[in-house]
Amino acid sequence: MPDKTPLLELKDIHKKFPGVYALQGVSFDLYPGEVHALLGENGAGKSTLVKIMSGIYAKDQGEIVINGKPVQITNANEALENGLSVIHQELVLVPHLSIAENLFLGREPQLKNGLVDFQSMSEQTSRFLKEFGLNLNPDAEVASLTIAQQQMVEVVKAISFNARIIAMDEPTSSLTDKEVDSLFSHIRDLAARGIGIIYISHRMSELFEIADRVTVLRDGKYIGTRNVKETTADELITMTVGRPISKYYNRTYNTNQEAILKVKDLSSRKVKNVNFELRKGEILGFSGLVGAGRSETMHAIMGIDKITGGTLEFEGKPVHVKNTEQMIDYGFSMVPEDRKDEGIFPFQTLKFNLTLKTIKEFINFIFVRNSKEDEIADRYMDELSIKAPNLQTVMNSLSGGNQQKVVISSWLATNPKVLILDEPTRGIDVGTKSEIYEIMNELARNGVSIIMISSDMPEILNLSDRVVVMCEGTTTAVLDHSEATQEKILQYAVKI
Amino acid sequence: MSEKALEKKVLKNRPVNGLLMSIKRNIGILVGLAILCTIISINSPVFLTTKNIMNVLRQISANLFVACGMTIILIAGGIDLSVGSTIAVIGVAAASFLDMGLPVPLTVLACLALGAFVGFINGFIISRTKITPFIVTLSMANVLRGLAYVYTGATTIRINDRGYINIGTGFLGPVPLPAIYIVVVLIIVYLILNKSRLGRHIYAIGGNEKAARFSGIDVKKVRLLIYIFSGLMAAVASITLSARSYSGNPTAGEGAEMDAIAAVVLGGISMAGGNGHISGTIIGALIIGVINNGLNLMGIHSFWQMILKGIIILVAVYADYMKNAKSNKASEA
C-alpha cells in the first residue's frame, strides 16, 4: 500500500489533560479502501485520538495530514469539511425525527418561500438509502428502527456528507450476530469505494474478520501497527495488555453438585414457562438471541418484574418473591446488563457505589461506623484491583472496566450465594476481562453459584459448566459443558 | 503498591463531613454572602445590630423550613411545587380550628397531620403513576390554592389566640422561637441525609433511579416518605407564618416554592438530583434573607428587589455551573 498517498496521517500527536498525559506521541495512518483497527484497553487513548481528529479536542502538539496536505481541525464542522466523520458508540440521531430529517438536520433543503422542502428531502434520502442497499422508508421515525438500522442510518448520513474517512467507535457492542454480519458487508462495500475506515472494537475475533491493519495503543503511547494477516490474537493481546495472558479462560469445571435453586414454569409479563436448576458452585451460562428473555427471567427472579406463575425453590424451601430487597437477603445478587443505566451511580463517589448494598452493616439508625465502611471499600479496591486515585473519586471518571469491577464488588460485599452476571464483560478490554473471568472461577470454587448471561459465544462455551438456552421467552435446552457447541446452542436459540 | 497505600492514608486523614469540608465546598457562595453583608452594612448601620440579625433569622426561618423539604426532594431527583399552596391551606385551617375552639396543641397537631397528608397524596401519585413530580405537584398547588379561596371566600380569618401567636412571635432570651425550631429541623435533615440509610437511598435514587431499584432500594417507599416530609415542613412554615401574621390567609405562601428552590439551587444543589448538602441550602437561604432585609434597610423598593434577586440567583448559579463544568472537563480524560 505505501505506493498510494494516505487518506489520513496523524503524526506524533500529544494531548495532556490536567493530571493525565492522554496521548504521548501517537502516530496513525489510513489508506483509501482500508479498514484500520485501533486496539487498546479502556483509557489507552483511542477515544481521545478520535476526538482530536474529529475536532472535539484540540491537540497540544503534532500534525494532522489529509490527502498529503496538513490541515487544522478545530471543530466538528471542519472535520466534516475535510471528509472526516465519526460514528460514536452512543448514537446521536434525534429519535423522534424521521430518517430524512436526521440526514438533513441543520442543512434542510428549502422552498422559495423559506419552508422546508420535505419532498426533495425524502427523495434524496431515499436515493442515499437505496444506493446503500437499505430497504427503509425515509419518512420512518428513527426511534422505530433497530439499533443496527440506526447505525446504518448514521453511516448513510456520513456518506451524504461525502465522508472519505469514517471512524466507528465500538459499532457492534449492541448488535446481534446477524446484524454484525450485515454491518461488515456494508463496511466492505465502503472500503471497496475507496473510503477509509477506522474501526474501534474490543472484540478480537472481529478484527481478524474485518480489519486490514491494527494499531495498538497502551497508556496513551503508540505500541505498534501490524498487518492482520501477519499477526495472532496472542500477539495483539500481549501488545494491548503489556504482558502475555497465559490462559485467557482459566476454569476448573464443577460437576455433580446438588441443586441450590430450582425454577419451575416461571412466568412473568415477558417470559413464560422458564425451567432450570442452578447447582452449588457452578457457572450456569445463559445463551440466546437478544430479546430471548434472559435478562427478563433474572428480573423476575430478583423481584424487579412481577412473577405471574411458576415456583422458585431455594435451598430446598419454596420462595415467594416479593421484592428485590428480600431476594438480596436470601443471598441473591445481580450485576445488571446496562452498567451505565442500571448499575452505577455516576455522580457519586467510588465509596458510595462500593458500599451502597451493604449499608446495613455499618449504618444503624443514625450511627455510622466509618471504619467498617472504609474496611469494606478498601477490601474490594484491593481484591479486585480497582484502579482509581482514591475512594472519593467520582464514579463517572473511571474507565468502563473499573466501573464494572466496582459494580461487581458492591454485590460481592453482600456475600451472595447466587450471583447473576448479565453480560459481565460487555465493552470491557481484554485485560479486565481476564481478571473478571478469574474472579468468577474463584467464586465458583468457593461455592458461589453463578448465572452468567452472555452474548459472547466463546465466553459461554469456555466458562459455563452448563448452558441454558432461551428462545422467545422460554427455556429450550440445558446443555452440559461437554456437549455444548456453538451449532447446538444456535439451533436451540432460533427454535426449529 | 506503596503509592496506593499512601493515597489511602492521606484519604483517611481527611475529614469527609467536617465543618472544613462544607466551608470548602461552599466557598464561592460564602464569599458572595460576605461581600453582600459588607455592602449592606456600609450602607445601613442598622444591619449588623443584634436586633436586626435576629429579625433576619426569623424571616428566613419560614423559607428555610420549606427549603429543607425541597433539598431532600431535589436530591432525590424530584420537585415539589405545592408547598406554597400547602402553606395557605394550613394557615386557613389553623385559623378555623382555633375559631372552633380547638386547643392550641391539638390545632398544631392537626396542621402537621394535614401537611403530612398533602405530602402523602403527592408522594402516592408520584410513586404509583408515571406522571412526573412537576405535573403532580403543580396540579396539587392549584387544587389547594383553590380550596383555600373557596373555603374562606377569599377573605382572611383572624387569629386571636395568644398562645398560638406566641409560637411564631415568641423569644427564648434574644432568640426568636422559629430560629430554634429551624435549628432542630436542620439537625434532623442533616442526620437523615448524612447519617441514615434513608439518606443513602435518597442520594441513590436521585443519582440513578433504575440502579437504585436494582440495588434493592424500595424507591416507592422513599418517594412517599420524602414528599410527606416536604408537606410536614410546609405545615411548620405555615404555623409560624400564620402565628406571626395573626391570620389564616388564602394568599399566604405565594411563590414560597420558588424562594425555596432558589435557596436550594443557590446552595449548589443540582436540579438533576443525586447531589448536594444541607449546608448549601442554609447559606442559600441566608443570602436570600440578607438580600431581602438589606435592600429593605437601604430603602430599595420591593419591585426592584425582585429584579435584583432574580439577577443574583442567575449569576450565582451560572458561576456554580462554570465551576462544575471546569472540574468535569478535568476528570473527563
Side-chain angles (χ1 to χ4, degrees):
Chain A
M1 279 198 225
D3 47 317
K4 280 190 270 184
T5 331
L7 272 176
L8 170 75
E9 282 173 283
L10 301 172
K11 292 179 183 166
D12 195 31
I13 304 282
H14 289 259
K15 178 70 188 171
K16 270 184 197 161
F17 292 105
V20 188
Y21 200 165
L23 290 175
Q24 310 171 28
V26 172
S27 297
F28 180 87
D29 58 3
L30 180 71
Y31 287 89
E34 180 190 35
V35 180
H36 192 159
L38 261 179
L39 192 64
E41 303 197 274
N42 295 320
K46 295 165 301 182
S47 303
T48 311
L49 192 65
V50 170
K51 281 179 180 161
I52 282 179
M53 61 177 111
S54 59
I56 295 171
Y57 291 154
K59 59 185 178 342
D60 295 341
Q61 200 186 314
E63 203 182 6
I64 302 177
V65 181
I66 288 181
N67 288 324
K69 274 179 253 144
V71 293
Q72 288 297 327
I73 297 178
T74 52
N75 60 47
N77 271 336
E78 286 177 14
L80 281 176
E81 282 162 18
N82 281 298
L84 216 154
S85 222
V86 179
I87 293 163
H88 293 281
Q89 199 172 351
E90 284 103 27
L91 298 171
V92 289
L93 295 171
V94 186
H96 295 294
L97 293 182
S98 72
I99 297 178
E101 284 166 321
N102 267 288
L103 228 56
F104 286 93
L105 199 63
R107 45 170 184 151
E108 293 85 355
Q110 288 185 345
L111 295 167
K112 276 194 206 110
N113 59 15
L115 297 178
V116 173
D117 186 351
F118 282 102
Q119 203 185 342
S120 135
M121 207 159 90
S122 274
E123 281 166 14
Q124 290 186 54
T125 305
S126 171
R127 212 167 45 240
F128 278 124
L129 291 171
K130 275 208 195 87
E131 200 183 317
F132 214 64
L134 288 171
N135 189 20
L136 294 172
N137 178 358
D139 299 324
E141 198 177 81
V142 161
S144 70
L145 306 178
T146 66
I147 299 283
Q149 286 170 332
Q150 292 185 29
Q151 240 158 19
M152 295 323 299
V153 170
E154 290 245 32
V155 173
V156 171
K157 185 171 179 180
I159 300 291
S160 77
F161 273 104
N162 289 319
R164 305 289 302 151
I165 301 160
I166 299 179
M168 296 183 174
D169 193 357
E170 296 252 5
T172 57
S173 60
S174 42
L175 301 190
T176 64
D177 285 353
K178 223 175 120 190
E179 289 169 334
V180 170
D181 284 345
S182 128
L183 175 74
F184 282 0
S185 84
H186 284 305
I187 290 180
R188 286 188 196 102
D189 263 10
L190 292 171
R193 293 194 206 177
I195 289 170
I197 313 275
I198 301 165
Y199 189 90
I200 299 177
S201 175
H202 284 307
R203 296 191 188 170
M204 199 62 74
S205 56
E206 285 180 357
L207 302 187
F208 285 93
E209 205 181 325
I210 192 74
D212 301 308
R213 287 192 298 160
V214 181
T215 289
V216 179
L217 304 182
R218 188 172 72 232
D219 300 329
K221 294 190 195 83
Y222 174 82
I223 302 299
T225 302
R226 298 282 182 275
N227 280 323
V228 166
K229 289 199 185 88
E230 294 156 12
T231 187
T232 60
D234 280 345
E235 186 191 16
L236 292 178
I237 289 174
T238 307
M239 284 167 78
T240 36
V241 185
R243 63 190 148 83
I245 292 181
S246 50
K247 278 193 209 149
Y248 198 46
Y249 300 106
N250 192 352
R251 179 86 178 95
T252 333
Y253 292 104
N254 177 2
T255 46
N256 277 336
Q257 287 279 358
E258 89 257 42
I260 182 169
L261 172 72
K262 290 179 184 165
V263 176
K264 281 199 195 100
D265 294 324
L266 181 83
S267 299
S268 74
R269 218 157 45 84
K270 292 164 190 156
V271 296
K272 55 186 184 300
N273 300 326
V274 170
N275 286 288
F276 70 91
E277 277 184 16
L278 177 67
R279 296 174 187 164
K280 196 171 162 55
E282 79 168 339
I283 296 181
L284 182 65
F286 263 69
S287 195
L289 302 178
V290 173
R294 295 171 297 168
S295 302
E296 290 75 8
T297 300
M298 301 311 150
H299 290 180
I301 292 172
M302 288 303 288
I304 294 163
D305 289 351
K306 209 172 160 196
I307 292 178
T308 55
T311 58
L312 233 69
E313 201 184 297
F314 181 61
E315 293 182 323
K317 287 184 213 100
V319 172
H320 300 285
V321 182
K322 284 201 291 278
N323 55 45
T324 312
E325 195 185 357
Q326 169 212 12
M327 294 315 288
I328 294 171
D329 288 342
Y330 269 118
F332 283 62
S333 278
M334 182 175 74
V335 176
E337 176 182 16
D338 189 334
R339 183 170 55 240
K340 233 168 152 179
D341 199 34
E342 304 164 339
I344 63 163
F345 299 92
F347 301 110
Q348 311 295 344
T349 63
L350 182 55
K351 183 151 95 175
F352 181 99
N353 273 278
L354 273 173
T355 59
L356 181 68
K357 279 103 183 169
T358 33
I359 48 179
K360 276 183 188 163
E361 287 178 32
F362 58 88
I363 301 183
N364 257 316
F365 185 49
I366 52 162
F367 304 105
V368 186
R369 279 159 63 207
N370 287 316
S371 59
K372 177 75 184 170
E373 181 176 12
D374 287 340
E375 185 194 308
I376 295 173
D378 283 343
R379 187 166 83 226
Y380 288 99
M381 280 284 272
D382 283 346
E383 261 178 37
L384 273 74
S385 49
I386 295 164
K387 290 191 201 92
N390 61 49
L391 284 174
Q392 300 301 327
T393 307
V394 174
M395 192 66 172
N396 219 9
S397 63
L398 299 188
S399 71
N402 279 305
Q403 288 181 1
Q404 184 71 336
K405 283 189 194 170
V406 173
V407 177
I408 293 177
S409 298
S410 71
W411 283 115
L412 291 184
T414 67
N415 287 320
K417 290 176 186 161
V418 175
L419 177 63
I420 301 168
L421 299 163
D422 197 345
E423 302 286 358
T425 63
R426 173 179 288 174
I428 284 175
D429 55 74
V430 272
T432 311
K433 248 186 201 177
S434 79
E435 285 177 60
I436 289 178
Y437 294 153
E438 212 145 290
I439 294 161
M440 288 169 64
N441 189 40
E442 192 60 34
L443 285 170
R445 195 156 46 196
N446 291 331
V448 177
S449 308
I450 296 177
I451 293 175
M452 176 189 66
I453 299 177
S454 175
S455 299
D456 185 0
M457 198 52 94
E459 200 168 278
I460 286 280
L461 293 175
N462 286 297
L463 292 177
S464 312
D465 292 297
R466 295 180 308 138
V467 181
V468 175
V469 188
M470 287 190 74
C471 174
E472 289 172 14
T474 191
T475 41
T476 49
V478 180
L479 305 167
D480 246 32
H481 169 70
S482 51
E483 52 173 345
T485 61
Q486 180 157 2
E487 293 72 33
K488 225 171 193 171
I489 289 174
L490 278 178
Q491 194 185 327
Y492 286 110
V494 295
K495 211 173 199 175
I496 326 105
Chain B
M1 199 59 216
S2 67
E3 201 181 320
K4 199 172 169 190
L6 189 76
E7 269 168 356
K8 271 186 194 154
K9 214 172 161 192
V10 171
L11 191 78
K12 272 183 185 158
N13 291 336
R14 204 168 66 187
V16 178
N17 284 318
L19 186 67
L20 214 70
M21 263 302 262
S22 67
I23 290 177
K24 205 178 149 198
R25 200 161 40 218
N26 297 308
I27 189 71
I29 186 173
L30 273 171
V31 171
L33 181 61
I35 294 172
L36 210 61
C37 289
T38 315
I39 294 174
I40 297 169
S41 60
I42 290 169
N43 283 291
S44 164
V46 188
F47 180 67
L48 284 179
T49 58
T50 315
K51 195 175 163 214
N52 187 54
I53 289 172
M54 289 305 152
N55 199 14
V56 172
L57 282 184
R58 191 169 52 199
Q59 282 168 356
I60 65 167
S61 65
N63 185 20
L64 207 40
F65 287 125
V66 179
C68 278
M70 199 67 83
T71 301
I72 292 180
I73 285 186
L74 282 188
I75 289 174
I79 197 160
D80 188 350
L81 299 176
S82 68
V83 282
S85 302
T86 309
I87 288 175
V89 161
I90 287 174
V92 167
S96 4
F97 287 153
L98 292 168
D99 246 10
M100 288 182 243
L102 210 63
V104 173
L106 278 184
T107 302
V108 169
L109 274 181
C111 288
L112 293 177
L114 196 57
F117 179 69
V118 169
F120 174 82
I121 302 283
N122 276 333
F124 187 81
I125 298 173
I126 289 164
S127 59
R128 303 294 144 141
T129 69
K130 284 193 170 148
I131 311 175
T132 59
F134 189 98
I135 301 296
V136 171
T137 58
L138 182 68
S139 312
M140 181 60 98
N142 281 310
V143 170
L144 293 178
R145 181 71 65 187
L147 276 176
Y149 279 121
V150 168
Y151 181 77
T152 59
T155 58
T156 301
I157 305 174
R158 270 196 68 81
I159 294 174
N160 297 313
D161 191 313
R162 286 308 311 173
Y164 185 83
I165 289 166
N166 201 36
I167 294 173
T169 56
F171 283 86
L172 188 77
V175 187
L177 287 177
I180 293 174
Y181 314 146
I182 194 64
V183 170
V184 175
V185 166
L186 284 170
I187 290 171
I188 292 172
V189 172
Y190 171 80
L191 291 177
I192 291 175
L193 284 179
N194 295 59
K195 299 287 172 189
S196 75
R197 287 181 206 162
L198 178 63
R200 300 279 173 123
H201 290 174
I202 288 167
Y203 281 101
I205 291 171
N208 185 346
E209 189 196 327
K210 217 166 179 187
R213 204 150 43 89
F214 277 54
S215 302
I217 294 173
D218 191 340
V219 176
K220 285 180 187 170
K221 193 175 93 189
V222 175
R223 282 256 160 83
L224 205 58
L225 283 176
I226 61 176
Y227 281 94
I228 289 175
F229 184 76
S230 180
L232 211 53
M233 287 298 101
V236 175
S238 179
I239 291 168
T240 59
L241 278 174
S242 59
R244 248 168 58 201
S245 64
Y246 300 8
S247 65
N249 186 339
T251 64
E254 225 151 46
E257 61 281 348
M258 290 307 157
D259 274 353
I261 292 170
V264 176
V265 172
L266 272 176
I269 295 173
S270 144
M271 297 282 288
N275 263 318
H277 295 267
I278 191 66
S279 57
T281 302
I282 298 173
I283 303 168
L286 268 173
I287 288 196
I288 292 181
V290 167
I291 294 175
N292 284 339
N293 176 266
L295 296 180
N296 270 336
L297 292 179
M298 285 156 69
I300 294 172
H301 194 278
S302 67
F303 297 164
W304 279 104
Q305 289 187 23
M306 291 171 83
I307 296 171
L308 279 173
K309 216 160 70 178
I311 293 172
I312 288 172
I313 291 166
L314 203 59
V315 169
V317 173
Y318 181 69
D320 193 54
Y321 166 81
M322 289 308 285
K323 196 181 79 190
N324 287 341
K326 222 176 191 176
S327 61
N328 277 349
K329 209 160 199 178
S331 64
E332 216 175 78

